[in-house]
Amino acid sequence: MSFIRISALVVFAMWASTGFARDVRIEGYSILAVTQVSDSDKEQQVSEALYQGVLDYYSDTDPNMLHFIETKIPKALMQKNISKLINEYRVDQAFDERGRLVTDVVASFKKSDFEQRLQKLASSREEITLVVVEFLQSTEQRLSAARSTFSLPLSESLSGGNLVVSTQYDELSDRTGGMFNFGLMEKEFVNSGNVAIAPLNAAAKAKAGGAKAYSAIVTHTLTFVGVDNLRQEIHQVKLHSTATIINAHTNERTTLEVANTLGEGESEALATQSGINIASRKLAGKIKSHFLQKL
Amino acid sequence: MGVMYSIQYKAVRNQADLPRIAGFFALFILMLTCAFPGFSEQMGGQQPSKRGFTDTVAFAGITFLGGKQDLAIQYPLTSSVVKNNNLNAILYQAILKKPPRNMTVSASSLDKDDGHKYAMSMLIDSEAVSEEQVTLSKSTVYPWWVQLSAQLVIFDVEASQLVYTKTLPILRCTDINSTAVSREAIVQRVEDMLTNNVCGDHQGLIQYFVDALYQAPAPAKASLVQFAVADVIVGDKALPYLPQRLKESGLDVYRRYVANQLTKAMSETQNIAVQPYTADQSVLQMQGRFFGGEQTYKLTLPRPYYKVIFTLRGFKKVPYSKNRAGESNYYGVFSELAVVKNLKRGDQDVFRQQLKYVTNEKIPSGFFSHEEWYFFDTNLLALIYKANTETYDDRTEFMKAQGFDRTQQRAFFKQFEKLKEAYASCRL
């Protein structure tokens, strides 16, 4: 098994935009059982359907975020501002055979904008120090030849909110009196597929001082798929990514998973980089919503 | 007097936790209230564009109805032409030149986590080649023809439903040679019919597909209830007339073909949600254009709400006349069409009727090696379409030809009312 390791310990003292806007497709509907409706009722139903569409999207993709929205954001406020979270939408509004007004919407939801706003709110909360070690592994030897060409953008995607991440592992090694040793950790991962969490937790606590401290062990397992059967020039790889987040004080663990990520590119290296980028972005979203839920 | 409002939501959310976070809630509302105007500033007061949304649909290329083993039996020429000439790339380039009005087509694999769920494909559903020999005034000529038919399908991979199908013009190109036609010439003809022209017409099947896609409506939302052909039964009286290649395939290939024709006819003529007969190669190829999501696709399709069971009771040929000019025969197709509600407590009949379709066909003298099979096949397709379009009125030729007496006719239309209700419940 070949592998590369990436450690990411990046400090974000303040909220910073990733500059990466991402819209997603949502669907929602509402049903209003009245015999007569005004234009404002119809508009209200569109807002309701869009709101339900956002909830349904998070219900399918990120239950932590769904829980956060449902419990922390007043529905009326969200509905009032829903149009600002939507780029474009299509409405189908009609009375059904029972005389009810049925409103179906399909929309482009400004997911990254919305989540950045929430992160901004979180930035005023207590800082969380997060020590992240990241590994990329494959069952195929040829990955090792190209591994140095890959960048792992998880730390960049984690930007925003009240997370404090650091890339200075030498500093962490110093702070822990050599207990945190990245080279050893890497060998340990190659040999056993796991790493000891005590040095990680020690590094997180040393960096955080008295504040909240967490560790995260991130692994991307890569499989080469071959070429796309429709576009022979396009190579494909699949990734399965996990992040185990550990509370450095209590050892409480949570595992987040992003499965079935496909990377595509004109070479195996480009496909791998594309897959890593997508998986990192998705995993970062889950990690951030995990911490948002703790607000 | 107040108006009673009742709003039903798609998902009932748990509100029980709300009181527990009351302390944080007040502060948070204040923060959010401050945050939302920020949205407006960031977007420059931009309002969403109503009706501007277009779905991104994954391009799944040219697919074939049926399983992998069907390729060599049903589409031996087309499948090799598509592969050897990389027609998927040609099709995609043609789409780029005339992109569809109501959707965006992507050749890249789409991420289900971004909400994408539609794939589209040019589904080849039949390929036929006929080579004949005719002796006229002591000279022999060799008429031959190639026929291709395909459809535009848009598939919702989440709901496993065909949300749009459009039959492309059935192309038949005939020719007469002074010597027997070579395989190379037939292959070249198939390629031309797909890409260039059809017997002098300026456009091939790919261009017809691009035109149909250009006109196609935005993909419809999948229906909670749908029709699906659950079984095709081929009766003993049909077997003698089937071509050898279909008999050798163990009839599964033919069942899939009939089921797809029925599915296509119902989808197109009734505008209802339909599920494919099987998760065949075309379905797998469309599913394969997606990634993301935590779940993997199942290779079995969900239970349909309405099951269609089509029994091909038999084919029949009855000689009508024969003289020096040639012969004339009746070619009949006899069937039973049943639609049942697929309830957990058991099936419930909605519609069950025997239907037939008969035509008189003439074969000029001097024709040899003529495949009579195509008369039966054409009549079967006509029966399937007419069963969906000419059953609304007892004065149509199709209904008159059924030969129902008054009681049978009354029973037919009583059942047909129930069928119309079933169609209405599945309408897209």
Side-chain angles (χ1 to χ4, degrees):
Chain A
M1 178 181 284
S2 67
F3 82 103
I4 60 168
R5 88 297 181 259
I6 309 290
S7 68
L9 305 168
V10 185
V11 176
F12 292 97
M14 54 191 291
W15 176 83
S17 167
T18 59
F20 173 56
R22 179 162 164 257
D23 292 354
V24 297
R25 179 189 186 281
I26 59 164
E27 271 182 30
Y29 77 86
S30 72
I31 298 175
L32 181 63
V34 293
T35 50
Q36 287 189 329
V37 290
S38 64
D39 286 349
S40 67
D41 289 336
K42 288 183 178 175
E43 285 300 314
Q44 170 61 25
Q45 288 308 294
V46 172
S47 297
E48 173 65 31
L50 288 169
Y51 173 69
Q52 290 301 324
V54 172
L55 295 189
D56 284 346
Y57 172 77
Y58 282 116
S59 169
D60 291 342
T61 59
D62 192 348
N64 281 336
M65 184 62 87
L66 173 70
H67 183 256
F68 178 80
I69 294 169
E70 285 186 321
T71 54
K72 306 287 170 63
I73 304 180
K75 182 181 170 183
L77 180 66
M78 184 101 168
Q79 276 194 351
K80 188 181 166 191
N81 290 281
I82 197 77
S83 64
K84 292 167 189 160
L85 304 175
I86 300 296
N87 243 339
E88 296 170 326
Y89 66 107
R90 199 170 63 220
V91 183
D92 182 12
Q93 206 164 41
F95 289 95
D96 68 4
E97 69 281 359
R98 289 158 66 183
R100 304 174 306 175
L101 179 69
V102 180
T103 305
D104 284 293
V105 294
V106 185
S108 173
F109 166 51
K110 296 173 188 168
K111 180 175 187 275
S112 49
D113 280 348
F114 176 62
E115 291 178 4
Q116 277 179 18
R117 294 299 124 186
L118 297 181
Q119 293 296 328
K120 192 174 181 181
L121 298 176
S123 64
S124 63
R125 309 294 296 171
E126 186 183 0
E127 282 183 349
I128 294 172
T129 297
L130 180 66
V131 173
V132 182
V133 286
E134 198 172 356
F135 302 94
L136 175 63
Q137 61 181 358
S138 167
T139 52
E140 292 173 65
Q141 192 59 40
R142 62 183 186 272
L143 176 68
S144 59
R147 65 194 187 195
S148 59
T149 62
F150 302 130
S151 64
L152 296 178
L154 179 68
S155 56
E156 190 186 332
S157 299
L158 271 173
S159 64
N162 55 343
L163 291 180
V164 176
V165 194
S166 167
T167 51
Q168 295 154 353
Y169 6 94
D170 289 344
E171 181 207 339
L172 286 173
S173 185
D174 290 345
R175 279 177 185 262
T176 55
M179 189 181 175
F180 177 87
N181 184 322
F182 209 61
L184 281 179
M185 202 172 278
E186 167 180 286
K187 284 176 188 163
E188 197 183 353
F189 182 76
V190 173
N191 292 334
S192 66
N194 285 307
V195 292
I197 59 169
L200 266 174
N201 286 347
K205 283 189 278 193
K207 178 72 182 169
K212 289 179 180 174
Y214 286 83
S215 307
I217 304 166
V218 176
T219 62
H220 301 285
T221 305
L222 184 141
T223 310
F224 290 97
V225 176
V227 292
D228 184 0
N229 59 0
L230 291 182
R231 300 165 299 156
Q232 301 292 317
E233 73 285 4
I234 298 296
H235 295 257
Q236 293 180 325
V237 300
K238 280 217 163 160
L239 280 101
H240 184 270
S241 310
T242 59
T244 303
I245 298 170
I246 307 140
N247 183 322
H249 296 287
T250 65
N251 268 346
E252 182 196 352
R253 291 181 184 213
T254 305
T255 299
L256 304 169
E257 190 179 29
V258 171
N260 199 22
T261 302
L262 186 75
E264 295 185 317
E266 286 170 358
S267 66
E268 281 185 348
L270 288 172
T272 302
Q273 187 62 64
S274 146
I276 292 167
N277 292 350
I278 297 169
S280 298
R281 186 239 300 155
K282 289 184 176 186
L283 207 51
K286 289 198 169 184
I287 293 170
K288 286 195 283 189
S289 66
H290 169 77
F291 285 112
L292 266 182
Q293 200 194 356
K294 293 183 178 298
L295 285 178
Chain B
M1 197 170 173
V3 181
M4 285 282 282
Y5 284 81
S6 157
I7 301 175
Q8 293 179 10
Y9 301 123
K10 190 170 177 183
V12 177
R13 310 289 174 192
N14 182 9
Q15 302 287 327
D17 293 338
L18 283 172
R20 276 188 262 155
I21 50 133
F24 179 77
F25 205 52
L27 174 64
F28 208 83
I29 289 173
L30 184 64
M31 291 167 66
L32 281 168
T33 313
C34 296
F36 271 113
F39 276 118
S40 183
E41 286 160 27
Q42 290 284 325
M43 307 306 158
Q46 194 182 352
Q47 285 301 304
S49 156
K50 193 176 181 180
R51 301 212 161 268
F53 181 85
T54 50
D55 271 301
T56 300
V57 177
F59 171 72
I62 299 171
T63 58
F64 294 88
L65 175 72
K68 219 171 188 174
Q69 71 278 18
D70 295 19
L71 289 182
I73 301 164
Q74 287 281 73
Y75 323 99
L77 301 167
T78 322
S79 59
S80 66
V81 166
V82 168
K83 191 178 173 188
N84 296 337
N85 297 279
N86 199 10
L87 292 195
N88 285 316
I90 290 171
L91 174 61
Y92 187 66
Q93 290 304 318
I95 292 170
L96 291 182
K97 282 183 190 159
K98 189 178 180 182
R101 289 190 301 190
N102 297 311
M103 66 197 87
T104 304
V105 175
S106 169
S108 301
S109 299
L110 297 180
D111 190 346
K112 284 191 291 172
D113 289 338
D114 285 349
H116 299 303
K117 61 178 187 174
Y118 295 117
M120 65 86 180
S121 154
M122 177 169 147
L123 175 69
I124 306 278
D125 58 30
S126 127
E127 166 193 311
V129 177
S130 174
E131 297 169 65
E132 294 151 12
Q133 183 186 337
V134 183
T135 304
L136 295 168
S137 309
K138 295 183 182 174
S139 67
T140 302
V141 290
Y142 298 85
W144 60 285
W145 53 260
V146 177
Q147 180 176 300
L148 297 178
S149 74
Q151 46 190 302
L152 157 63
V153 294
I154 301 179
F155 187 65
D156 178 335
V157 295
E158 290 290 329
S160 293
Q161 270 182 29
L162 291 165
V163 291
Y164 182 73
T165 64
K166 173 77 181 171
T167 302
L168 305 178
I170 296 172
L171 304 184
R172 181 187 281 203
C173 216
T174 58
D175 222 332
I176 300 177
N177 285 18
S178 55
T179 55
V181 64
S182 66
R183 183 178 160 81
E184 289 73 25
I186 296 173
V187 169
Q188 184 59 51
R189 174 60 52 83
V190 169
E191 187 187 334
D192 285 345
M193 289 172 74
L194 283 165
T195 57
N196 298 323
N197 63 77
V198 182
C199 313
D201 189 356
H202 68 286
Q203 63 179 28
L205 205 50
I206 282 181
Q207 194 55 47
Y208 281 112
F209 176 85
V210 171
D211 292 345
L213 186 65
Y214 175 78
Q215 298 281 356
K221 193 176 173 185
S223 172
L224 293 174
V225 289
Q226 71 291 96
F227 272 67
V229 177
D231 203 1
V232 172
I233 300 158
V234 181
D236 290 344
K237 289 179 182 172
L239 293 176
Y241 295 95
L242 287 179
Q244 197 57 30
R245 62 189 165 86
L246 290 176
K247 286 181 192 167
E248 284 168 2
S249 68
L251 288 183
D252 282 348
V253 172
Y254 187 59
R255 283 198 190 94
R256 280 195 285 271
Y257 167 73
V258 175
N260 176 262
Q261 295 298 334
L262 194 50
T263 305
K264 181 174 73 170
M266 286 189 304
S267 168
E268 256 184 64
T269 61
Q270 308 299 333
N271 188 29
I272 55 171
V274 291
Q275 207 170 273
Y277 177 57
T278 54
D280 67 1
Q281 281 295 305
S282 65
V283 169
L284 296 179
Q285 190 156 321
M286 288 191 276
Q287 287 177 338
R289 304 310 298 170
F290 291 83
F291 68 99
E294 302 302 332
Q295 82 282 21
T296 51
Y297 292 114
K298 289 179 184 170
L299 293 180
T300 52
L301 296 166
R303 274 166 60 98
Y305 193 72
Y306 290 104
K307 287 195 298 190
V308 179
I309 298 156
F310 186 78
T311 306
L312 181 56
R313 295 167 52 225
F315 297 117
K316 197 169 184 180
K317 174 186 169 185
V318 179
Y320 175 66
S321 68
K322 192 170 183 179
N323 53 36
R324 288 177 64 189
E327 63 178 80
S328 162
N329 303 303
Y330 285 107
Y331 294 90
V333 181
F334 300 84
S335 71
E336 183 188 80
L337 178 65
V339 175
V340 296
K341 208 183 263 189
N342 190 10
L343 301 173
K344 275 194 176 169
R345 58 188 158 82
D347 290 350
Q348 188 181 75
D349 266 14
V350 173
F351 181 88
R352 187 179 292 274
Q353 288 290 332
Q354 292 189 354
L355 298 168
K356 63 188 174 195
Y357 188 66
V358 183
T359 57
N360 186 304
E361 305 290 347
K362 293 180 180 63
I363 304 172
S365 62
F367 266 71
F368 300 97
S369 339
H370 185 82
E371 275 215 58
E372 288 185 312
W373 163 244
Y374 291 112
F375 292 138
F376 291 119
D377 187 45
T378 307
N379 283 0
L380 173 65
L381 299 187
L383 180 142
I384 286 172
Y385 261 82
K386 287 172 187 290
N388 279 282
T389 55
E390 294 194 16
T391 41
Y392 284 80
D393 190 334
D394 60 1
R395 291 166 297 182
T396 61
E397 287 301 318
F398 180 72
M399 286 305 290
K400 284 178 188 168
Q402 301 309 313
F404 290 148
D405 61 27
R406 268 177 183 277
T407 315
Q408 286 171 321
Q409 199 168 64
R410 215 174 294 130
F412 180 93
F413 282 105
K414 193 175 172 187
Q415 285 188 8
F416 192 64
E417 283 306 309
K418 283 191 192 173
L419 182 59
K420 282 198 281 188
E421 285 172 23
Y423 283 150
S425 70
C426 297
R427 200 139 281 151
L428 290 168

